[in-house]
Amino acid sequence: MIRTDLATEACSRIKEAELPGMEKEEYEKNGVKIEQIRITSDEAFYKTGKPKGNYFTLYSDPFGEDSEDGELLAKAICSVLKSMIPKQGHVMVIGLGNRDITPDTLGPLAVKKIFATRHLTQEIISQMGIGPLRPVSALAPGVLGQTGFEVQEILQAISEDTSPCCILAIDALAAGDAKRLGTTIQLCNTGISPGSGVQNRRKEISKNTLGIPVIAIGVPTVIDASALGESMLGKELSDDELEKTQPQGNPMMVTPRDIDRLTTKAAHIISLAVNMALQPNLKIGELLYLTA
């Protein structure tokens, strides 16, 4: 089985009618194709490897420089987010990943553009003249090797003190098909295991571990070299071929040449979508000004 963080790839080889507890639906929003997969049974969980919950996959042209296209995609992401997040309460947005490794910077880059409002008093909000604001906090907790803390430990401590209604986790993902790099956005309500796509799985961040809903948003930025070989050849690799993709027995991850542009654009679109979903009273231009 290919290694992938994407539910659509994990479920692609299984026909819906053959697996009770897996349902698929496709529709469009703002001209963006959206696929929703529901995993509702233990059997579907075991066969797909995806926990029970809802998975949304949005399909895009490769992230480019056209801001209008970016806003349409952000609006589509926003519409999905609105259906997933609680209507009221403090929302904690976290950007997962290592900011020193380009393919892993999506989360930290996106969280820099989140409009944090939890610290603003009603008096300050009134002086700003921008209407009611939802309490939002933003954090890039780094990785274990930088901080000595598991991200789950940091979030557990903070959430116990600040009582968010949910966590939005933004992270880079691994794909099983190179065509999905920079063209796919996944949202799910099942949480996330940081580093799982690159075989560096950390403690799970989910409702099971934190006691509050965790919504994950991600874009694939890397692909395992063996998965890339299989997608190019259209067949499973032999043991000899597989060995060639793993020098000294270590799996290799492959990323696009323009990964810096890809992650920057994806972070901009995701942060805009999150801000739109959390602060619906503000216009796009106001959000861009406030987070510039």
Side-chain angles (χ1 to χ4, degrees), residues 6-27:
L6 302 177
T8 187
E9 291 185 329
C11 299
S12 62
R13 298 180 183 181
I14 305 172
K15 294 183 179 180
E16 184 178 353
E18 296 176 354
L19 183 56
M22 184 183 78
E23 304 171 3
K24 293 183 182 181
E25 178 185 359
E26 292 185 1
Y27 58 97

Side-chain angles (χ1 to χ4, degrees), residues 113-116 270-280 287 291:
K113 295 292 185 178
I114 295 301
F115 183 31
I270 289 175
S271 61
L272 178 59
V274 171
N275 287 330
M276 291 166 60
L278 297 180
Q279 308 298 348
L287 290 169
T291 56

Side-chain angles (χ1 to χ4, degrees), residues 33-291:
K33 177 185 173 183
I34 302 175
E35 177 188 71
Q36 181 179 3
I37 296 177
R38 301 180 187 88
I39 303 294
T40 59
S41 70
D42 290 337
E43 182 182 1
F45 163 53
Y46 293 136
K47 289 192 175 181
T48 63
K50 296 300 176 184
K52 296 178 185 178
N54 289 320
Y55 300 81
F56 295 86
T57 304
L58 287 77
Y59 296 90
S60 167
D61 292 331
F63 293 131
E65 301 299 332
D66 193 317
S67 61
E68 183 177 350
D69 288 346
E71 289 182 6
L72 291 176
L73 182 55
K75 289 177 180 178
I77 297 171
C78 174
S79 70
V80 175
L81 271 178
K82 284 183 174 181
S83 72
M84 302 175 77
I85 59 177
K87 301 301 180 184
Q88 296 180 332
H90 160 219
V91 176
M92 184 194 304
V93 184
I94 62 170
L96 301 174
N98 187 335
R99 67 186 74 215
D100 295 327
I101 300 176
T102 305
D104 204 27
T105 57
L106 175 67
L109 285 176
V111 86
K112 284 175 63 177
K113 295 292 185 178
I114 295 301
F115 183 31
T117 59
R118 180 176 174 270
H119 61 297
L120 299 178
T121 65
Q122 189 56 52
E123 181 180 0
I124 292 176
I125 293 174
S126 298
Q127 291 175 353
M128 294 173 69
I130 54 177
L133 296 175
R134 182 170 190 166
V136 175
S137 57
L139 175 70
V143 294
L144 180 64
Q146 295 171 324
T147 67
F149 292 102
E150 289 276 5
V151 173
Q152 192 261 5
E153 294 171 337
I154 296 173
L155 299 182
Q156 184 75 60
I158 295 175
S159 61
E160 287 177 358
D161 191 50
T162 62
S163 301
C165 67
C166 75
I167 290 175
L168 294 184
I170 305 169
D171 197 10
L173 306 177
D177 186 335
K179 293 179 181 178
R180 295 190 180 277
L181 300 179
T183 64
T184 303
I185 303 96
Q186 177 174 274
L187 297 91
C188 67
N189 64 354
T190 59
I192 195 165
S193 294
S196 61
V198 292
Q199 292 191 325
N200 186 31
R201 184 182 295 271
R202 310 310 316 164
K203 288 185 177 180
E204 180 181 295
I205 300 170
S206 69
K207 187 174 183 179
N208 292 334
T209 59
L210 297 176
I212 55 176
V214 177
I215 299 166
I217 312 170
V219 172
T221 60
V222 296
I223 181 173
D224 184 275
S226 60
L228 177 61
E230 290 183 359
S231 67
M232 293 177 64
L233 297 175
K235 68 178 185 69
E236 289 191 16
L237 299 183
S238 66
D239 290 342
D240 289 341
E241 291 170 330
L242 185 62
E243 186 177 349
K244 292 178 181 179
T245 69
Q246 301 180 351
Q248 292 81 47
N250 297 317
M252 288 179 53
M253 305 306 295
V254 182
T255 193
R257 181 175 62 179
D258 60 344
I259 188 60
D260 52 345
R261 183 187 63 82
L262 185 158
T263 52
T264 300
K265 184 66 176 181
H268 167 75
I269 292 171
I270 289 175
S271 61
L272 178 59
V274 171
N275 287 330
M276 291 166 60
L278 297 180
Q279 308 298 348
N281 295 319
L282 299 181
K283 298 178 181 178
I284 291 179
E286 292 174 320
L287 290 169
L288 292 175
Y289 172 78
L290 290 166
T291 56

